[in-house]
Coordinates of all heavy atoms in Angstrom, one line a residue:
M1 N 119.4 36.5 176.1 CA 118.8 35.5 177.1 C 119.7 34.7 177.8 O 119.8 34.5 179.0 CB 117.6 34.7 176.4 CG 116.8 33.7 177.2 SD 116.0 34.7 178.5 CE 115.2 33.4 179.4
M2 N 120.7 34.1 176.9 CA 121.7 33.2 177.5 C 122.7 33.9 178.4 O 123.1 33.4 179.3 CB 122.4 32.5 176.3 CG 123.4 31.5 176.6 SD 122.6 30.2 177.4 CE 123.6 28.9 177.1
K3 N 123.1 35.1 177.9 CA 123.9 35.9 178.8 C 123.3 36.2 180.1 O 124.0 36.2 181.2 CB 124.4 37.3 178.1 CG 125.3 37.1 177.0 CD 125.8 38.4 176.4 CE 126.8 38.2 175.4 NZ 127.3 39.4 174.9
L4 N 122.1 36.5 180.2 CA 121.4 36.8 181.4 C 121.4 35.5 182.3 O 121.6 35.5 183.5 CB 119.9 37.2 181.2 CG 119.1 37.5 182.4 CD1 119.6 38.7 183.2 CD2 117.6 37.8 182.0
L5 N 121.1 34.4 181.7 CA 121.1 33.1 182.4 C 122.5 32.9 183.0 O 122.7 32.5 184.1 CB 120.7 31.9 181.5 CG 120.8 30.5 182.2 CD1 119.8 30.4 183.2 CD2 120.6 29.5 181.1
L6 N 123.6 33.1 182.2 CA 124.9 32.8 182.6 C 125.3 33.9 183.8 O 126.0 33.4 184.7 CB 125.9 33.0 181.5 CG 126.0 31.8 180.5 CD1 126.9 32.2 179.4 CD2 126.5 30.6 181.3
L7 N 124.9 35.1 183.7 CA 125.2 36.0 184.8 C 124.5 35.6 186.0 O 125.0 35.7 187.1 CB 124.7 37.4 184.3 CG 125.6 38.2 183.3 CD1 124.9 39.5 182.9 CD2 127.0 38.4 183.8
Q8 N 123.3 35.1 186.0 CA 122.5 34.6 187.2 C 123.3 33.4 187.7 O 123.4 33.2 188.9 CB 121.1 34.4 186.9 CG 120.3 35.6 186.5 CD 118.9 35.4 186.2 OE1 118.6 34.2 185.8 NE2 118.0 36.4 186.2
L9 N 123.7 32.5 186.8 CA 124.3 31.3 187.2 C 125.6 31.7 188.0 O 125.9 31.0 189.0 CB 124.7 30.5 186.0 CG 125.1 29.0 186.2 CD1 123.8 28.2 186.5 CD2 125.9 28.4 185.1
E10 N 126.4 32.6 187.5 CA 127.7 33.0 188.2 C 127.4 33.6 189.5 O 128.3 33.6 190.4 CB 128.5 33.8 187.3 CG 129.1 33.0 186.1 CD 129.7 33.9 185.1 OE1 129.8 35.1 185.3 OE2 130.3 33.3 184.0
D11 N 126.3 34.3 189.7 CA 125.9 34.9 191.0 C 125.7 33.9 192.1 O 125.8 34.2 193.3 CB 124.7 35.8 190.9 CG 125.0 37.1 190.0 OD1 126.2 37.4 189.9 OD2 124.0 37.6 189.5
Y12 N 125.4 32.6 191.7 CA 125.1 31.6 192.7 C 126.1 30.6 192.9 O 125.9 29.5 193.5 CB 123.7 31.0 192.4 CG 122.6 32.0 192.5 CD1 122.0 32.6 191.4 CD2 122.1 32.4 193.7 CE1 121.0 33.5 191.5 CE2 121.1 33.3 193.9 CZ 120.5 33.8 192.8 OH 119.5 34.8 192.9
M13 N 127.3 30.8 192.3 CA 128.4 29.8 192.5 C 128.9 29.7 194.0 O 129.0 30.7 194.7 CB 129.6 30.2 191.7 CG 129.3 30.0 190.2 SD 130.9 30.1 189.4 CE 130.3 29.9 187.7
L14 N 129.1 28.6 194.4 CA 129.4 28.4 195.8 C 130.9 28.6 196.1 O 131.7 28.2 195.3 CB 129.1 26.9 196.3 CG 127.7 26.5 196.1 CD1 127.7 24.9 196.4 CD2 126.9 27.1 197.1
P15 N 131.3 29.3 197.2 CA 132.6 29.5 197.4 C 133.3 28.3 198.0 O 132.6 27.4 198.5 CB 132.6 30.7 198.5 CG 131.3 30.5 199.2 CD 130.4 29.9 198.2
C16 N 134.6 28.1 197.8 CA 135.3 27.0 198.3 C 135.6 27.1 199.8 O 136.4 28.0 200.2 CB 136.7 26.8 197.6 SG 137.6 25.4 198.1
V17 N 134.9 26.3 200.6 CA 135.1 26.3 202.0 C 136.6 26.0 202.4 O 137.1 26.6 203.3 CB 134.1 25.3 202.8 CG1 134.4 25.3 204.2 CG2 132.7 25.8 202.5
N18 N 137.2 25.0 201.7 CA 138.5 24.6 202.0 C 139.5 25.8 201.9 O 140.3 26.1 202.6 CB 138.9 23.5 201.1 CG 140.2 22.9 201.4 OD1 140.4 22.4 202.5 ND2 141.1 22.8 200.5
K19 N 139.3 26.6 200.7 CA 140.1 27.7 200.5 C 139.9 28.8 201.5 O 140.9 29.4 202.0 CB 139.9 28.3 199.1 CG 140.9 29.3 198.7 CD 140.8 29.6 197.2 CE 142.0 30.4 196.7 NZ 142.0 30.6 195.3
A20 N 138.7 29.0 202.0 CA 138.4 30.0 203.0 C 139.0 29.7 204.4 O 139.5 30.5 205.0 CB 136.9 30.2 203.1
V21 N 139.0 28.4 204.7 CA 139.5 28.0 206.0 C 140.9 27.8 206.0 O 141.6 28.2 206.9 CB 138.7 26.7 206.5 CG1 139.2 26.2 207.7 CG2 137.2 26.9 206.6
F22 N 141.4 27.0 205.0 CA 142.8 26.6 205.0 C 143.8 27.5 204.1 O 145.0 27.5 204.3 CB 143.1 25.1 204.7 CG 142.4 24.2 205.5 CD1 141.2 23.4 205.2 CD2 142.7 24.1 206.8 CE1 140.5 22.6 206.0 CE2 142.1 23.2 207.8 CZ 141.0 22.5 207.3
G23 N 143.2 28.2 203.2 CA 143.9 29.1 202.4 C 144.5 28.5 201.1 O 145.3 29.2 200.4
F24 N 144.1 27.3 200.8 CA 144.5 26.7 199.5 C 143.4 26.0 198.8 O 142.4 25.5 199.5 CB 145.7 25.8 199.6 CG 145.5 24.7 200.7 CD1 145.1 23.5 200.2 CD2 145.9 24.8 202.0 CE1 144.8 22.5 201.1 CE2 145.7 23.8 202.9 CZ 145.3 22.6 202.5
D25 N 143.5 25.8 197.5 CA 142.4 25.1 196.7 C 142.2 23.7 197.1 O 143.1 23.1 197.6 CB 142.7 25.3 195.2 CG 142.7 26.7 194.7 OD1 142.2 27.6 195.4 OD2 143.2 26.9 193.6
C26 N 141.0 23.2 196.8 CA 140.7 21.9 197.0 C 140.7 21.2 195.7 O 140.9 21.9 194.7 CB 139.3 21.7 197.7 SG 137.9 22.1 196.7
M27 N 140.5 19.9 195.6 CA 140.6 19.2 194.3 C 139.4 19.4 193.4 O 139.4 19.2 192.2 CB 140.7 17.7 194.6 CG 142.0 17.3 195.2 SD 142.1 15.4 195.2 CE 143.7 15.2 196.0
G28 N 138.3 20.2 193.9 CA 137.2 20.4 193.2 C 137.1 21.9 192.7 O 136.3 22.3 191.9
C29 N 138.1 22.7 193.2 CA 138.1 24.2 192.8 C 138.2 24.3 191.3 O 139.2 23.7 190.7 CB 139.3 24.8 193.5 SG 138.9 25.3 195.2
G30 N 137.3 25.1 190.8 CA 137.4 25.4 189.3 C 136.3 24.6 188.6 O 136.0 25.0 187.4
M31 N 135.8 23.7 189.2 CA 134.7 22.9 188.5 C 133.5 23.7 188.1 O 133.0 23.6 186.9 CB 134.2 21.7 189.3 CG 133.3 20.8 188.5 SD 132.6 19.4 189.5 CE 133.9 18.8 190.5
Q32 N 133.0 24.6 189.0 CA 131.8 25.4 188.8 C 132.1 26.4 187.6 O 131.4 26.6 186.6 CB 131.4 26.1 189.9 CG 130.8 25.3 191.0 CD 130.4 26.2 192.2 OE1 129.2 26.6 192.3 NE2 131.3 26.5 193.1
R33 N 133.3 27.0 187.6 CA 133.7 27.9 186.6 C 133.9 27.2 185.2 O 133.6 27.7 184.2 CB 134.9 28.7 187.0 CG 134.6 29.7 188.1 CD 135.9 30.2 188.7 NE 136.5 29.3 189.5 CZ 137.8 29.3 189.9 NH1 138.6 30.2 189.6 NH2 138.2 28.3 190.8
A34 N 134.4 26.0 185.3 CA 134.6 25.2 184.0 C 133.3 24.9 183.4 O 133.1 25.0 182.2 CB 135.4 23.9 184.4
I35 N 132.3 24.6 184.2 CA 130.9 24.2 183.7 C 130.4 25.5 183.1 O 129.8 25.5 182.0 CB 130.0 23.7 184.8 CG1 130.5 22.3 185.2 CG2 128.6 23.7 184.3 CD1 129.8 21.8 186.5
S36 N 130.6 26.7 183.8 CA 130.1 27.9 183.2 C 130.8 28.3 181.9 O 130.2 28.7 180.9 CB 130.4 29.0 184.1 OG 130.0 30.3 183.7
L37 N 132.1 28.0 181.8 CA 132.8 28.2 180.5 C 132.3 27.3 179.5 O 132.2 27.7 178.2 CB 134.3 28.0 180.7 CG 134.9 29.1 181.5 CD1 136.4 28.6 182.0 CD2 135.1 30.4 180.7
M38 N 132.0 26.0 179.8 CA 131.5 25.1 178.7 C 130.1 25.6 178.2 O 129.8 25.5 177.0 CB 131.4 23.8 179.3 CG 132.7 23.0 179.5 SD 132.5 21.3 180.0 CE 131.5 20.7 178.7
I39 N 129.3 26.1 179.1 CA 128.0 26.6 178.7 C 128.1 27.7 177.7 O 127.4 27.9 176.7 CB 127.1 27.0 179.9 CG1 126.8 25.7 180.7 CG2 125.9 27.7 179.5 CD1 126.1 26.0 182.1
R40 N 129.2 28.5 177.8 CA 129.5 29.7 177.0 C 130.1 29.2 175.8 O 130.3 30.0 174.8 CB 130.4 30.7 177.7 CG 129.7 31.5 178.7 CD 130.7 32.6 179.2 NE 130.7 32.6 180.6 CZ 131.6 33.0 181.3 NH1 132.8 33.5 180.8 NH2 131.6 33.0 182.6
G41 N 130.5 28.0 175.7 CA 131.2 27.5 174.4 C 132.7 27.6 174.5 O 133.4 27.3 173.5
E42 N 133.3 27.9 175.6 CA 134.8 28.1 175.8 C 135.3 26.8 176.2 O 135.8 26.6 177.5 CB 135.1 29.3 176.6 CG 134.5 30.6 176.1 CD 134.8 31.7 177.1 OE1 135.8 31.8 177.8 OE2 133.9 32.7 177.1
F43 N 135.5 25.9 175.4 CA 135.8 24.4 175.7 C 137.2 24.3 176.2 O 137.5 23.5 177.1 CB 135.5 23.5 174.6 CG 134.0 23.4 174.3 CD1 133.6 24.0 173.1 CD2 133.1 22.9 175.2 CE1 132.2 24.1 172.8 CE2 131.7 23.0 174.9 CZ 131.2 23.5 173.7
L44 N 138.1 25.0 175.5 CA 139.6 25.0 175.9 C 139.8 25.6 177.2 O 140.5 25.2 178.1 CB 140.4 25.6 174.7 CG 141.9 25.3 174.9 CD1 142.2 23.8 175.0 CD2 142.7 26.0 173.7
A45 N 139.2 26.7 177.4 CA 139.2 27.4 178.7 C 138.7 26.6 179.8 O 139.3 26.6 180.9 CB 138.6 28.8 178.5
A46 N 137.7 25.9 179.6 CA 137.1 25.0 180.6 C 138.1 23.9 180.9 O 138.2 23.6 182.1 CB 135.8 24.4 180.0
F47 N 138.7 23.4 179.9 CA 139.8 22.4 180.2 C 140.9 23.0 181.1 O 141.5 22.3 182.0 CB 140.3 21.8 178.9 CG 141.4 20.9 179.1 CD1 141.2 19.5 179.6 CD2 142.7 21.3 179.0 CE1 142.3 18.6 179.7 CE2 143.8 20.4 179.1 CZ 143.6 19.0 179.5
Y48 N 141.3 24.1 180.7 CA 142.4 24.8 181.5 C 142.0 25.1 182.9 O 142.8 25.0 183.9 CB 143.0 26.1 180.8 CG 143.8 25.8 179.6 CD1 143.6 26.4 178.4 CD2 144.8 24.8 179.6 CE1 144.3 26.2 177.3 CE2 145.6 24.6 178.5 CZ 145.3 25.3 177.3 OH 146.2 25.0 176.2
M49 N 140.7 25.4 183.1 CA 140.2 25.8 184.5 C 140.1 24.5 185.2 O 140.5 24.5 186.4 CB 138.8 26.4 184.3 CG 138.2 26.8 185.6 SD 139.0 28.0 186.5 CE 138.9 29.4 185.3
Y50 N 139.6 23.4 184.7 CA 139.5 22.2 185.4 C 139.6 21.0 184.5 O 138.7 20.6 183.8 CB 138.1 22.2 186.1 CG 137.9 21.1 187.2 CD1 138.6 21.2 188.4 CD2 137.1 19.9 187.0 CE1 138.5 20.1 189.4 CE2 137.0 19.0 187.9 CZ 137.7 19.1 189.1 OH 137.6 18.0 190.0
P51 N 140.8 20.5 184.3 CA 141.0 19.5 183.3 C 140.2 18.1 183.5 O 140.0 17.5 182.6 CB 142.5 19.1 183.6 CG 143.2 20.3 184.2 CD 142.0 20.9 185.0
A52 N 139.7 17.9 184.6 CA 138.9 16.7 184.9 C 137.4 16.8 184.4 O 136.6 15.9 184.5 CB 138.9 16.2 186.3
I53 N 137.1 18.0 183.9 CA 135.7 18.2 183.4 C 135.2 17.3 182.4 O 134.1 16.7 182.4 CB 135.5 19.7 183.0 CG1 134.0 20.0 182.9 CG2 136.2 20.0 181.7 CD1 133.3 20.1 184.2
Y54 N 136.1 17.0 181.4 CA 135.6 16.0 180.3 C 135.5 14.6 180.8 O 134.5 14.0 180.4 CB 136.5 16.3 179.1 CG 136.3 17.7 178.5 CD1 137.4 18.6 178.5 CD2 135.1 18.1 178.2 CE1 137.2 19.9 178.1 CE2 134.9 19.3 177.6 CZ 136.0 20.3 177.6 OH 135.8 21.5 177.2
P55 N 136.5 14.1 181.5 CA 136.3 12.7 182.0 C 135.1 12.6 182.9 O 134.3 11.6 182.9 CB 137.5 12.3 182.8 CG 138.6 13.3 182.2 CD 137.8 14.5 181.8
L56 N 134.8 13.6 183.7 CA 133.7 13.6 184.6 C 132.3 13.7 183.8 O 131.3 13.0 184.1 CB 133.6 14.8 185.5 CG 134.3 14.8 186.8 CD1 134.4 16.2 187.4 CD2 133.6 13.9 187.7
I57 N 132.3 14.4 182.7 CA 131.1 14.4 181.8 C 130.9 13.0 181.2 O 129.8 12.5 181.2 CB 131.2 15.5 180.7 CG1 131.1 16.9 181.3 CG2 130.2 15.3 179.6 CD1 131.5 18.0 180.4
G58 N 132.0 12.4 180.7 CA 131.8 11.1 180.2 C 131.3 10.0 181.2 O 130.5 9.2 180.9
L59 N 131.8 10.1 182.4 CA 131.4 9.2 183.5 C 130.0 9.5 183.8 O 129.2 8.5 183.9 CB 132.2 9.5 184.7 CG 132.0 8.7 186.0 CD1 132.4 7.2 185.8 CD2 132.8 9.2 187.2
F60 N 129.4 10.6 184.0 CA 128.1 10.9 184.3 C 127.2 10.5 183.1 O 126.0 10.1 183.3 CB 127.8 12.3 184.8 CG 128.4 12.5 186.2 CD1 129.3 13.5 186.4 CD2 128.1 11.7 187.2 CE1 129.8 13.7 187.8 CE2 128.5 11.9 188.5 CZ 129.4 12.9 188.8
T61 N 127.7 10.7 181.9 CA 126.9 10.4 180.7 C 126.6 9.0 180.7 O 125.5 8.4 180.4 CB 127.6 10.9 179.4 OG1 127.8 12.3 179.5 CG2 126.9 10.5 178.2
I62 N 127.7 8.1 180.8 CA 127.6 6.7 180.9 C 126.6 6.2 182.1 O 125.7 5.3 181.8 CB 128.9 5.9 181.0 CG1 129.7 6.2 179.8 CG2 128.8 4.4 181.2 CD1 129.3 5.7 178.5
I63 N 126.7 6.8 183.2 CA 125.9 6.5 184.4 C 124.3 6.8 183.9 O 123.5 6.0 184.2 CB 126.3 7.2 185.5 CG1 127.6 6.6 186.1 CG2 125.2 7.1 186.7 CD1 128.3 7.4 187.2
G64 N 124.2 8.0 183.3 CA 122.8 8.4 182.9 C 122.3 7.5 181.9 O 121.0 7.1 181.9
I65 N 123.1 7.1 180.9 CA 122.5 6.3 179.7 C 122.2 4.9 180.4 O 121.1 4.3 179.9 CB 123.6 6.1 178.7 CG1 123.7 7.3 177.9 CG2 123.3 5.0 177.7 CD1 124.9 7.5 176.9
N66 N 123.0 4.4 181.3 CA 122.7 3.0 181.8 C 121.4 3.0 182.6 O 120.9 2.0 182.8 CB 123.9 2.6 182.7 CG 123.8 1.2 183.1 OD1 123.8 0.3 182.3 ND2 123.7 0.9 184.5
I67 N 120.9 4.1 183.1 CA 119.7 4.1 183.9 C 118.5 3.8 182.9 O 117.7 3.0 183.3 CB 119.5 5.6 184.4 CG1 120.4 5.8 185.6 CG2 118.0 5.7 185.0 CD1 120.5 7.1 186.2
F68 N 118.6 4.3 181.6 CA 117.5 4.0 180.7 C 117.8 2.8 179.8 O 116.8 2.1 179.4 CB 117.3 5.3 179.9 CG 117.0 6.5 180.7 CD1 117.9 7.5 180.9 CD2 115.7 6.6 181.3 CE1 117.6 8.5 181.7 CE2 115.4 7.7 182.1 CZ 116.4 8.6 182.3
K69 N 119.0 2.5 179.5 CA 119.3 1.4 178.6 C 120.6 0.8 179.1 O 121.6 1.4 179.2 CB 119.6 1.9 177.2 CG 119.8 0.9 176.2 CD 120.1 1.5 174.8 CE 120.2 0.5 173.7 NZ 120.8 -0.7 173.9
K70 N 120.4 -0.5 179.5 CA 121.6 -1.2 180.2 C 122.7 -1.4 179.2 O 122.5 -1.8 178.1 CB 121.1 -2.6 180.7 CG 120.1 -2.4 181.8 CD 120.5 -1.6 182.9 CE 119.4 -1.4 184.0 NZ 119.6 -0.3 184.9
I71 N 123.9 -1.0 179.6 CA 125.1 -1.2 178.9 C 125.8 -2.5 179.2 O 125.9 -2.8 180.3 CB 126.1 0.1 179.1 CG1 125.4 1.4 178.8 CG2 127.3 -0.2 178.4 CD1 126.1 2.6 179.1
K72 N 126.2 -3.2 178.1 CA 126.8 -4.5 178.3 C 128.0 -4.6 179.2 O 128.0 -5.4 180.2 CB 127.2 -5.1 176.9 CG 127.6 -6.5 177.0 CD 127.9 -7.2 175.7 CE 128.1 -8.6 175.6 NZ 128.3 -9.2 174.4
Y73 N 129.0 -3.8 179.0 CA 130.2 -3.8 179.9 C 130.2 -2.6 180.8 O 131.3 -2.0 181.1 CB 131.4 -3.9 179.0 CG 131.5 -5.1 178.1 CD1 131.3 -5.0 176.8 CD2 131.8 -6.3 178.8 CE1 131.3 -6.2 176.0 CE2 131.8 -7.5 178.0 CZ 131.7 -7.4 176.6 OH 131.7 -8.5 175.7
Y74 N 129.1 -2.3 181.4 CA 128.9 -1.1 182.2 C 130.0 -1.0 183.4 O 130.6 0.0 183.6 CB 127.5 -1.1 182.8 CG 127.2 0.0 183.8 CD1 127.1 1.3 183.4 CD2 127.1 -0.2 185.2 CE1 126.9 2.4 184.2 CE2 126.9 0.8 186.0 CZ 126.8 2.1 185.6 OH 126.5 3.1 186.4
N75 N 130.1 -2.1 184.2 CA 131.0 -2.1 185.3 C 132.5 -1.8 184.9 O 133.2 -1.0 185.5 CB 131.0 -3.4 186.1 CG 129.7 -3.6 186.8 OD1 129.1 -2.5 187.2 ND2 129.3 -4.8 187.0
K76 N 132.9 -2.5 183.8 CA 134.3 -2.2 183.2 C 134.4 -0.7 182.7 O 135.5 -0.1 183.0 CB 134.6 -3.1 182.1 CG 134.9 -4.5 182.5 CD 135.3 -5.4 181.5 CE 135.5 -6.8 182.1 NZ 136.0 -7.8 180.9
I77 N 133.5 -0.3 182.0 CA 133.5 1.2 181.5 C 133.5 2.1 182.6 O 134.3 3.0 182.7 CB 132.3 1.3 180.6 CG1 132.4 0.6 179.3 CG2 132.2 2.9 180.1 CD1 131.2 0.6 178.5
I78 N 132.7 1.9 183.6 CA 132.6 2.8 184.8 C 133.9 2.8 185.6 O 134.5 3.8 186.0 CB 131.5 2.5 185.7 CG1 130.1 2.8 185.0 CG2 131.5 3.1 187.1 CD1 130.0 4.3 184.8
T79 N 134.5 1.6 185.8 CA 135.8 1.5 186.5 C 136.8 2.2 185.7 O 137.7 3.0 186.3 CB 136.2 0.0 186.6 OG1 135.1 -0.7 187.3 CG2 137.5 -0.2 187.3
I80 N 137.0 2.1 184.5 CA 138.0 2.7 183.6 C 137.8 4.2 183.7 O 138.7 5.0 183.9 CB 138.0 2.2 182.2 CG1 138.5 0.8 182.2 CG2 138.8 3.1 181.3 CD1 138.3 0.1 180.9
L81 N 136.5 4.7 183.4 CA 136.3 6.1 183.5 C 136.6 6.7 184.9 O 137.0 7.8 185.0 CB 134.9 6.4 183.1 CG 134.6 6.4 181.6 CD1 133.1 6.6 181.3 CD2 135.4 7.5 180.9
A82 N 136.2 6.0 185.9 CA 136.4 6.5 187.3 C 137.9 6.6 187.6 O 138.4 7.6 188.2 CB 135.8 5.5 188.3
I83 N 138.8 5.6 187.1 CA 140.2 5.7 187.3 C 140.8 6.8 186.5 O 141.6 7.6 187.0 CB 140.9 4.4 186.8 CG1 140.5 3.3 187.9 CG2 142.3 4.5 186.8 CD1 140.9 1.9 187.4
I84 N 140.3 7.1 185.3 CA 140.7 8.2 184.4 C 140.4 9.5 185.1 O 141.3 10.5 185.1 CB 140.2 8.1 183.0 CG1 140.9 7.0 182.3 CG2 140.4 9.4 182.2 CD1 140.1 6.6 180.9
T85 N 139.2 9.7 185.6 CA 138.7 10.9 186.2 C 139.5 11.1 187.5 O 140.0 12.3 187.7 CB 137.2 10.7 186.5 OG1 136.5 10.5 185.3 CG2 136.7 12.0 187.1
T86 N 139.6 10.1 188.4 CA 140.3 10.3 189.6 C 141.7 10.7 189.4 O 142.3 11.6 190.0 CB 140.3 9.1 190.5 OG1 138.9 8.7 190.6 CG2 140.9 9.3 191.8
S87 N 142.5 10.0 188.4 CA 143.8 10.3 188.1 C 144.0 11.7 187.5 O 144.9 12.4 188.0 CB 144.3 9.3 187.1 OG 144.3 8.0 187.5
T88 N 143.1 12.2 186.7 CA 143.2 13.6 186.2 C 143.0 14.5 187.3 O 143.7 15.6 187.3 CB 142.1 13.7 185.1 OG1 142.2 12.7 184.1 CG2 142.1 15.1 184.5
I89 N 142.1 14.3 188.2 CA 141.8 15.3 189.3 C 143.1 15.3 190.2 O 143.5 16.5 190.5 CB 140.6 14.9 190.2 CG1 139.3 15.0 189.4 CG2 140.6 15.5 191.5 CD1 138.1 14.4 190.1
V90 N 143.7 14.2 190.5 CA 144.8 14.1 191.5 C 146.1 14.8 190.7 O 146.8 15.6 191.3 CB 145.1 12.7 191.9 CG1 146.5 12.6 192.6 CG2 144.0 12.2 192.8
V91 N 146.3 14.4 189.5 CA 147.5 15.0 188.8 C 147.3 16.5 188.6 O 148.3 17.2 188.9 CB 147.7 14.1 187.5 CG1 148.7 14.9 186.5 CG2 148.0 12.8 187.6
S92 N 146.1 17.0 188.1 CA 146.0 18.4 188.0 C 146.0 19.1 189.2 O 146.6 20.2 189.3 CB 144.7 18.6 187.2 OG 143.6 18.3 188.0
F93 N 145.6 18.6 190.3 CA 145.6 19.3 191.6 C 147.1 19.3 192.1 O 147.5 20.4 192.6 CB 144.8 18.5 192.7 CG 144.9 19.1 194.1 CD1 144.4 20.3 194.4 CD2 145.7 18.4 194.9 CE1 144.4 20.7 195.7 CE2 145.8 18.8 196.3 CZ 145.2 20.1 196.6
T94 N 147.9 18.2 191.8 CA 149.3 18.2 192.2 C 150.1 19.3 191.5 O 150.9 20.0 192.0 CB 149.9 16.8 192.0 OG1 149.0 15.9 192.8 CG2 151.3 16.8 192.5
I95 N 149.9 19.3 190.2 CA 150.5 20.3 189.4 C 150.2 21.7 189.7 O 151.0 22.5 189.9 CB 150.2 20.0 187.8 CG1 150.9 18.7 187.4 CG2 150.7 21.2 186.9 CD1 150.5 18.2 186.0
K96 N 148.9 21.9 190.0 CA 148.4 23.3 190.3 C 149.0 23.7 191.7 O 149.4 24.9 191.9 CB 146.9 23.4 190.4 CG 146.4 24.7 190.7 CD 144.9 24.9 190.6 CE 144.0 23.8 191.0 NZ 142.6 24.1 191.1
T97 N 149.1 22.8 192.6 CA 149.6 23.0 194.0 C 151.2 23.4 193.8 O 151.7 24.2 194.5 CB 149.4 21.8 194.9 OG1 148.0 21.6 194.9 CG2 149.9 22.1 196.2
L98 N 151.9 22.5 193.0 CA 153.3 22.8 192.9 C 153.7 24.1 192.2 O 154.6 24.7 192.5 CB 154.0 21.6 192.2 CG 153.9 20.3 192.9 CD1 154.5 19.1 192.0 CD2 154.8 20.4 194.1
I99 N 152.8 24.4 191.2 CA 153.1 25.7 190.5 C 152.8 26.9 191.4 O 153.5 27.9 191.3 CB 152.2 25.7 189.2 CG1 152.7 24.8 188.2 CG2 152.2 27.2 188.6 CD1 151.8 24.6 187.0
N100 N 151.8 26.9 192.1 CA 151.4 28.0 193.0 C 152.1 27.9 194.2 O 152.5 28.2 195.1 CB 149.9 28.0 193.3 CG 149.2 28.4 191.9 OD1 149.7 29.0 191.1 ND2 147.9 27.9 191.8

């Protein structure tokens, strides 16, 4: 059942418009595949595919929790996680661009 769901999920992944138009990856390329790998339980492969996947999950988790239960230092936590996430995206994109 899970394999069928994953196969259907992969059939509906969106193509990167940036890559199609300009010929190179954008800063979000690999995120959908990383999520798919995480669902399969391939956590290290998901990190290699898109290193910012884990800071993003942390960021969205804190945002989701705060909707239902207010967190005391929410603004500081969100700011720190946003900086970590953005830094990870920019650094990994730069490294990927320089290597390719």
Side-chain angles (χ1 to χ4, degrees):
M1 180 68 181
M2 187 64 154
K3 285 186 179 185
L4 180 62
L5 176 67
L6 286 173
L7 288 174
Q8 290 176 344
L9 195 81
E10 290 175 359
D11 289 339
Y12 294 102
M13 286 188 183
L14 300 172
C16 180
V17 176
N18 190 57
K19 190 168 187 171
V21 173
F22 299 113
F24 56 89
D25 291 347
C26 68
M27 289 191 186
C29 279
M31 187 184 318
Q32 292 179 95
R33 287 173 283 161
I35 292 169
S36 176
L37 287 167
M38 284 185 58
I39 292 170
R40 285 190 228 154
E42 299 177 32
F43 300 109
L44 190 58
F47 175 77
Y48 287 133
M49 180 63 62
Y50 193 73
I53 191 71
Y54 295 114
L56 272 171
I57 289 172
L59 181 66
F60 288 127
T61 301
I62 295 297
I63 291 171
I65 290 171
N66 191 60
I67 291 171
F68 300 106
K69 184 179 184 328
K70 299 301 175 195
I71 299 171
K72 187 174 184 180
Y73 298 106
Y74 175 73
N75 289 333
K76 288 183 181 183
I77 294 169
I78 289 298
T79 302
I80 291 168
L81 282 173
I83 290 170
I84 291 169
T85 302
T86 304
S87 300
T88 306
I89 291 170
V90 171
V91 168
S92 65
F93 175 74
T94 304
I95 291 170
K96 184 171 37 169
T97 303
L98 292 175
I99 289 174
N100 294 331

